[in-house]
Amino acid sequence: MLDVYWLLRVCILTIQHADNTGTLFAFAPEFYLNVAMNSYSALKNYFSPSNCMDQLPGYEDTLTQLAAILAKHFADPRIVGTDIKDSLMQALASYVCYPQSLRAVERIPEEQRVSMMRNLLAPYEQRPWAQTNWILVRLWRGCGFGYRYTRLPHLLKTKPEDTNLPSLQKPCPSLLLQRHMAELLSLDKDMAASFLNSVLNQLNWAFSEFIGMIQEIQQAAERPERNFVDTRQLKVCATCFDLSVSLLRVLEMTVTLVPQIFLDWTRPSAELLLRRLAQLLNQVLNRVTAERNLFDRVVNLRLPGLESVDHYPILVAVTGILVRILVDCERQGVSRAASVLLSDPCFQLHSIQHLLGEGETSPTAAVIPQTPTVHPGGPAERKHFSLHAYTDYIHEEEEQKVEQMLAFLTIESKQAAASTAPTSEEDLCPICYAHSISAVFKPCSHKSCKACINQHLMNNKDCFFCKATITGVEDYSKPTAS
């Protein structure tokens, strides 16, 4: 392995010299980068994560130098080879999973760290975003709500295929890189809006795909002539679920580090982002918590390939976001978040109550669903989900915040129901029929609610109705009858 290590060192020195002299792209840069990535991968696979490369001379400097190269070139538009671009991204994703290599990233100059984070926060459209999202999640893992685990609760009794996998490493969050992310999103309002809209778009896509696939899986499982499902379909389904969870965690990280992106309505996109966030959170909660729903039935099948699909990872990720905006923020922000959440047509209080297992006949009924009861001729029956059951995963303080949030939403929902005046059909938005008309378009004077027109204008500038180009949107309130 020493030969491979010295080959890596030579490649690093060659790339550094070419970078410093501005001649890197004058002489087959992808060859040296590719050799460096392959050498690093070989060393990483040879040495166990516990030993890493500390047996090699000057390994800390080597890790830091390679980290600088990865940070500078993983998103370099001058590198066009698909294979080397993937190798650079995968190497950076692996770097942030292990404490020694993550600290090496933190040791590179601040300017390079900030540039790296700026590239990671570029909009997700039209680029391979899954690895980028994975990197951001690893920088957060260990800080999120109930997010300190190495393995999911329902998988503890199963033996992992390879304990050296990056996904099975202990959480090692980076507060330094989180701070850079917070500063970038706070100062650059346009970048923050484009990044978060892209994350919300991908979450909407990933979760919708997941729901569509589990519908097909359930239908296939119920057919008497075919009791199996295509392995590839199961893998894609599990991937969509994992992507949904990781996207939710990135949203949790963002709303924790920079809550004003959603709650400071002096920012141009804040209200729209909060409404989109509330809509997606309600949709996820309703799909996962409904009594005897499709999600429950597919999880109970315990099909090989869907091991990661379970209530805990997705419900805890959603809970983390809700707690941040409804409990941890200042009063005005909490009031805005509650108002938007409750005004969403999909909001159902019992979905929030489900998180604490409310409706159970006794507190002892809410146990960790690791030992399902099997009935002859049918899938395993699972106990009702409850955050109270996961005492090894969720701190007492976190449970108390969820209880506080539920009590707050219960009061707010009752007050909202009591104060809401009946709305005539002609006053409802003609697009969604859920909100009152609150915006008028210029110059055509057609109307809708703010949520519909704001979301529409993200991708289209034409009026819903007459196709005239919209030049402005003004607030609308119904004239008082004389």
Side-chain angles (χ1 to χ4, degrees):
M1 277 294 112
L2 275 177
D3 291 342
V4 176
Y5 178 65
W6 291 120
L7 176 60
L8 173 62
R9 295 276 297 172
V10 168
C11 287
I12 288 173
L13 292 173
T14 303
I15 294 168
Q16 284 180 328
H17 175 73
D19 260 340
N20 294 336
T21 58
T23 59
L24 176 60
F25 288 87
F27 70 99
E30 295 187 8
F31 170 78
Y32 288 95
L33 288 169
N34 200 37
V35 173
M37 294 306 100
N38 290 337
S39 302
Y40 171 69
S41 179
L43 288 168
K44 182 166 63 69
N45 293 332
Y46 181 80
F47 291 93
S48 67
S50 58
N51 295 326
C52 195
M53 290 188 286
D54 55 3
Q55 302 175 16
L56 301 172
Y59 85 102
E60 283 194 359
D61 289 340
T62 301
L63 285 178
T64 304
Q65 291 166 354
L66 184 57
I69 292 172
L70 293 173
K72 183 174 183 178
H73 294 296
F74 83 96
D76 195 325
R78 295 172 296 179
I79 298 176
V80 296
T82 303
D83 290 342
I84 184 59
K85 289 174 72 172
D86 289 344
S87 295
L88 289 167
M89 181 66 79
Q90 290 171 12
L92 183 59
S94 175
Y95 244 69
V96 299
C97 291
Y98 302 95
Q100 291 96 332
S101 49
L102 178 59
R103 302 305 166 231
V105 175
E106 295 179 338
R107 287 195 297 268
I108 67 177
E110 181 176 354
E111 182 181 355
Q112 293 184 13
R113 295 196 305 266
V114 172
S115 176
M116 178 189 76
M117 293 305 299
R118 185 180 293 277
N119 286 324
L120 289 173
L121 297 174
Y124 281 2
E125 282 84 7
Q126 299 179 348
R127 71 185 181 103
W129 57 268
Q131 284 282 17
T132 297
N133 198 75
W134 166 254
I135 292 171
L136 293 175
V137 168
R138 291 300 303 194
L139 300 180
W140 177 244
R141 188 174 178 181
C143 297
F145 184 95
Y147 201 38
R148 294 164 293 275
Y149 56 81
T150 301
R151 301 194 67 207
L152 290 167
H154 68 287
L155 296 179
L156 287 179
K157 291 187 177 181
T158 62
K159 186 176 181 181
E161 296 179 4
D162 184 2
T163 56
N164 294 336
L165 289 173
S167 59
L168 295 179
Q169 303 311 305
K170 291 182 179 180
C172 51
S174 173
L175 300 182
L176 176 61
L177 297 179
Q178 286 179 28
R179 191 178 76 231
H180 291 327
M181 175 178 173
E183 291 170 351
L184 286 168
L185 293 178
S186 179
L187 296 174
D188 194 332
K189 296 179 181 179
D190 291 337
M191 182 181 71
S194 59
F195 168 70
L196 285 169
N197 273 311
S198 71
V199 174
L200 292 167
N201 289 341
Q202 298 301 346
L203 174 59
N204 183 50
W205 168 82
F207 191 71
S208 298
E209 287 292 307
F210 169 71
I211 293 298
M213 288 181 183
I214 63 174
Q215 288 174 342
E216 295 177 8
I217 291 169
Q218 174 66 18
Q219 291 169 2
E222 289 177 346
R223 294 190 200 117
E225 71 278 4
R226 183 187 177 193
N227 58 1
F228 67 93
V229 184
D230 181 63
T231 304
R232 181 180 176 277
Q233 185 181 11
L234 293 174
K235 185 175 181 181
V236 174
C237 180
T239 300
C240 287
F241 179 80
D242 293 339
L243 287 174
S244 299
V245 173
S246 65
L247 288 162
L248 285 166
R249 287 298 185 180
V250 168
L251 289 170
E252 180 195 22
M253 173 167 61
T254 305
V255 81
T256 302
L257 298 175
V258 204
Q260 62 267 30
I261 292 179
F262 296 92
L263 303 177
D264 179 5
W265 286 5
T266 61
R267 296 173 71 106
S269 304
E271 183 179 357
L272 173 61
L273 288 171
L274 183 58
R275 292 190 183 281
R276 293 195 67 196
L277 177 66
Q279 182 184 50
L280 284 169
L281 294 181
N282 282 328
Q283 289 177 3
V284 172
L285 279 173
N286 294 343
R287 287 285 193 175
V288 177
T289 63
E291 191 68 24
R292 297 181 180 179
N293 60 17
L294 178 66
F295 185 86
D296 278 341
R297 293 199 298 272
V298 171
V299 168
N300 288 342
L301 292 173
R302 285 301 177 202
L303 296 173
L306 293 184
E307 290 85 0
S308 65
V309 178
D310 195 69
H311 295 75
Y312 182 87
I314 195 161
L315 288 181
V316 172
V318 171
T319 304
I321 299 172
L322 291 174
V323 165
R324 301 303 179 195
I325 61 177
L326 295 171
V327 178
D328 292 342
C329 289
E330 48 87 25
R331 181 175 298 179
Q332 186 181 46
V334 169
S335 177
R336 285 173 176 167
S339 174
V340 168
L341 190 71
L342 293 172
S343 66
D344 184 81
C346 296
F347 175 78
Q348 297 181 23
L349 184 62
H350 70 75
S351 293
I352 308 295
Q353 294 169 336
H354 183 99
L355 299 173
L356 295 176
E358 294 209 354
E360 292 292 313
T361 55
S362 68
T364 56
V367 296
I368 295 179
Q370 294 179 4
T371 55
T373 304
V374 180
H375 296 282
E381 290 287 340
R382 293 169 57 84
K383 298 290 185 180
H384 197 291
F385 178 86
S386 172
L387 293 175
H388 290 311
Y390 297 86
T391 53
D392 291 339
Y393 288 78
I394 297 175
H395 294 160
E396 183 178 352
E397 181 186 359
E398 292 175 327
E399 286 188 36
Q400 291 172 352
K401 287 184 177 182
V402 179
E403 292 170 353
Q404 181 182 342
M405 176 183 73
L406 176 57
F408 171 68
L409 287 176
T410 301
I411 295 171
E412 290 293 309
S413 61
K414 289 179 180 178
Q415 292 178 348
S419 62
T420 302
T423 303
S424 63
E425 186 173 343
E426 65 180 17
D427 295 331
L428 287 175
C429 170
I431 303 301
C432 65
Y433 286 96
H435 303 292
S436 298
I437 293 174
S438 55
V440 58
F441 320 151
K442 297 298 179 183
C444 63
S445 297
H446 284 115
K447 306 175 187 69
S448 76
C449 68
K450 288 182 181 179
C452 285
I453 187 58
N454 286 340
Q455 188 159 351
H456 176 70
L457 290 176
M458 288 170 54
N459 304 305
N460 196 320
K461 303 301 181 185
D462 296 339
C463 173
F464 292 111
F465 309 101
C466 65
K467 304 304 178 185
T469 300
I470 297 174
T471 59
V473 178
E474 296 181 358
D475 291 344
Y476 171 83
S477 57
K478 185 177 181 180
T480 305
S482 57

